[in-house]
PDB file of all heavy atoms in Angstrom:
ATOM      1  N   ARG V  47       7.872  45.764 -47.745  1.00 86.00           N
ATOM      2  CA  ARG V  47       8.524  46.031 -49.023  1.00 86.00           C
ATOM      3  C   ARG V  47       8.509  47.530 -49.329  1.00 86.00           C
ATOM      4  O   ARG V  47       9.494  48.070 -49.838  1.00 86.00           O
ATOM      5  CB  ARG V  47       7.839  45.258 -50.135  1.00 86.00           C
ATOM      6  CG  ARG V  47       8.379  43.842 -50.242  1.00 86.00           C
ATOM      7  CD  ARG V  47       7.805  43.160 -51.453  1.00 86.00           C
ATOM      8  NE  ARG V  47       6.955  42.080 -50.934  1.00 86.00           N
ATOM      9  CZ  ARG V  47       5.711  41.855 -51.295  1.00 86.00           C
ATOM     10  NH1 ARG V  47       5.124  42.604 -52.194  1.00 86.00           N
ATOM     11  NH2 ARG V  47       5.043  40.882 -50.773  1.00 86.00           N
ATOM     12  N   THR V  48       7.438  48.177 -48.997  1.00 89.00           N
ATOM     13  CA  THR V  48       7.334  49.640 -49.218  1.00 89.00           C
ATOM     14  C   THR V  48       8.331  50.377 -48.346  1.00 89.00           C
ATOM     15  O   THR V  48       9.011  51.297 -48.786  1.00 89.00           O
ATOM     16  CB  THR V  48       5.902  50.110 -48.918  1.00 89.00           C
ATOM     17  OG1 THR V  48       4.992  49.366 -49.705  1.00 89.00           O
ATOM     18  CG2 THR V  48       5.732  51.578 -49.237  1.00 89.00           C
ATOM     19  N   ILE V  49       8.413  49.978 -47.078  1.00 88.00           N
ATOM     20  CA  ILE V  49       9.339  50.630 -46.151  1.00 88.00           C
ATOM     21  C   ILE V  49      10.766  50.369 -46.585  1.00 88.00           C
ATOM     22  O   ILE V  49      11.622  51.273 -46.537  1.00 88.00           O
ATOM     23  CB  ILE V  49       9.089  50.129 -44.703  1.00 88.00           C
ATOM     24  CG1 ILE V  49       7.725  50.600 -44.236  1.00 88.00           C
ATOM     25  CG2 ILE V  49      10.193  50.601 -43.789  1.00 88.00           C
ATOM     26  CD1 ILE V  49       7.281  49.994 -42.912  1.00 88.00           C
ATOM     27  N   GLU V  50      11.054  49.161 -47.031  1.00 89.00           N
ATOM     28  CA  GLU V  50      12.407  48.832 -47.492  1.00 89.00           C
ATOM     29  C   GLU V  50      12.769  49.686 -48.711  1.00 89.00           C
ATOM     30  O   GLU V  50      13.900  50.203 -48.806  1.00 89.00           O
ATOM     31  CB  GLU V  50      12.507  47.342 -47.818  1.00 89.00           C
ATOM     32  CG  GLU V  50      13.878  46.933 -48.310  1.00 89.00           C
ATOM     33  CD  GLU V  50      13.924  45.496 -48.744  1.00 89.00           C
ATOM     34  OE1 GLU V  50      12.863  44.842 -48.789  1.00 89.00           O
ATOM     35  OE2 GLU V  50      15.028  45.016 -49.053  1.00 89.00           O
ATOM     36  N   ALA V  51      11.863  49.836 -49.640  1.00 92.00           N
ATOM     37  CA  ALA V  51      12.129  50.633 -50.834  1.00 92.00           C
ATOM     38  C   ALA V  51      12.371  52.097 -50.428  1.00 92.00           C
ATOM     39  O   ALA V  51      13.264  52.758 -50.999  1.00 92.00           O
ATOM     40  CB  ALA V  51      10.967  50.546 -51.800  1.00 92.00           C
ATOM     41  N   TRP V  52      11.620  52.581 -49.455  1.00 93.00           N
ATOM     42  CA  TRP V  52      11.799  53.957 -48.988  1.00 93.00           C
ATOM     43  C   TRP V  52      13.189  54.128 -48.339  1.00 93.00           C
ATOM     44  O   TRP V  52      13.875  55.130 -48.584  1.00 93.00           O
ATOM     45  CB  TRP V  52      10.712  54.323 -48.001  1.00 93.00           C
ATOM     46  CG  TRP V  52      10.795  55.715 -47.507  1.00 93.00           C
ATOM     47  CD1 TRP V  52      10.401  56.841 -48.130  1.00 93.00           C
ATOM     48  CD2 TRP V  52      11.334  56.115 -46.239  1.00 93.00           C
ATOM     49  NE1 TRP V  52      10.660  57.937 -47.355  1.00 93.00           N
ATOM     50  CE2 TRP V  52      11.226  57.521 -46.176  1.00 93.00           C
ATOM     51  CE3 TRP V  52      11.889  55.429 -45.177  1.00 93.00           C
ATOM     52  CZ2 TRP V  52      11.665  58.231 -45.067  1.00 93.00           C
ATOM     53  CZ3 TRP V  52      12.330  56.154 -44.072  1.00 93.00           C
ATOM     54  CH2 TRP V  52      12.212  57.540 -44.029  1.00 93.00           C
ATOM     55  N   LEU V  53      13.603  53.135 -47.543  1.00 93.00           N
ATOM     56  CA  LEU V  53      14.919  53.221 -46.889  1.00 93.00           C
ATOM     57  C   LEU V  53      16.051  53.167 -47.921  1.00 93.00           C
ATOM     58  O   LEU V  53      17.034  53.894 -47.803  1.00 93.00           O
ATOM     59  CB  LEU V  53      15.071  52.066 -45.891  1.00 93.00           C
ATOM     60  CG  LEU V  53      14.264  52.197 -44.600  1.00 93.00           C
ATOM     61  CD1 LEU V  53      14.385  50.940 -43.779  1.00 93.00           C
ATOM     62  CD2 LEU V  53      14.713  53.400 -43.803  1.00 93.00           C
ATOM     63  N   VAL V  54      15.917  52.304 -48.925  1.00 95.00           N
ATOM     64  CA  VAL V  54      16.936  52.238 -49.970  1.00 95.00           C
ATOM     65  C   VAL V  54      17.017  53.542 -50.739  1.00 95.00           C
ATOM     66  O   VAL V  54      18.101  54.040 -51.062  1.00 95.00           O
ATOM     67  CB  VAL V  54      16.675  51.029 -50.893  1.00 95.00           C
ATOM     68  CG1 VAL V  54      17.565  51.069 -52.147  1.00 95.00           C
ATOM     69  CG2 VAL V  54      16.889  49.717 -50.148  1.00 95.00           C
ATOM     70  N   ALA V  55      15.879  54.149 -51.059  1.00 96.00           N
ATOM     71  CA  ALA V  55      15.862  55.413 -51.753  1.00 96.00           C
ATOM     72  C   ALA V  55      16.494  56.505 -50.917  1.00 96.00           C
ATOM     73  O   ALA V  55      17.267  57.342 -51.422  1.00 96.00           O
ATOM     74  CB  ALA V  55      14.447  55.781 -52.152  1.00 96.00           C
ATOM     75  N   THR V  56      16.219  56.521 -49.637  1.00 97.00           N
ATOM     76  CA  THR V  56      16.785  57.512 -48.729  1.00 97.00           C
ATOM     77  C   THR V  56      18.311  57.342 -48.651  1.00 97.00           C
ATOM     78  O   THR V  56      19.064  58.317 -48.693  1.00 97.00           O
ATOM     79  CB  THR V  56      16.159  57.411 -47.328  1.00 97.00           C
ATOM     80  OG1 THR V  56      14.759  57.533 -47.457  1.00 97.00           O
ATOM     81  CG2 THR V  56      16.698  58.456 -46.390  1.00 97.00           C
ATOM     82  N   TYR V  57      18.744  56.092 -48.534  1.00 96.00           N
ATOM     83  CA  TYR V  57      20.182  55.829 -48.476  1.00 96.00           C
ATOM     84  C   TYR V  57      20.877  56.291 -49.761  1.00 96.00           C
ATOM     85  O   TYR V  57      21.946  56.893 -49.723  1.00 96.00           O
ATOM     86  CB  TYR V  57      20.445  54.342 -48.247  1.00 96.00           C
ATOM     87  CG  TYR V  57      21.913  53.976 -48.201  1.00 96.00           C
ATOM     88  CD1 TYR V  57      22.645  54.200 -47.062  1.00 96.00           C
ATOM     89  CD2 TYR V  57      22.538  53.447 -49.328  1.00 96.00           C
ATOM     90  CE1 TYR V  57      24.003  53.866 -47.020  1.00 96.00           C
ATOM     91  CE2 TYR V  57      23.871  53.132 -49.304  1.00 96.00           C
ATOM     92  CZ  TYR V  57      24.591  53.362 -48.142  1.00 96.00           C
ATOM     93  OH  TYR V  57      25.939  53.044 -48.108  1.00 96.00           O
TER      94      TYR V  57
END
Side-chain angles (χ1 to χ4, degrees):
R47 275 187 247 130
T48 305
I49 293 171
E50 180 185 6
W52 181 80
L53 287 173
V54 169
T56 304
Y57 178 80

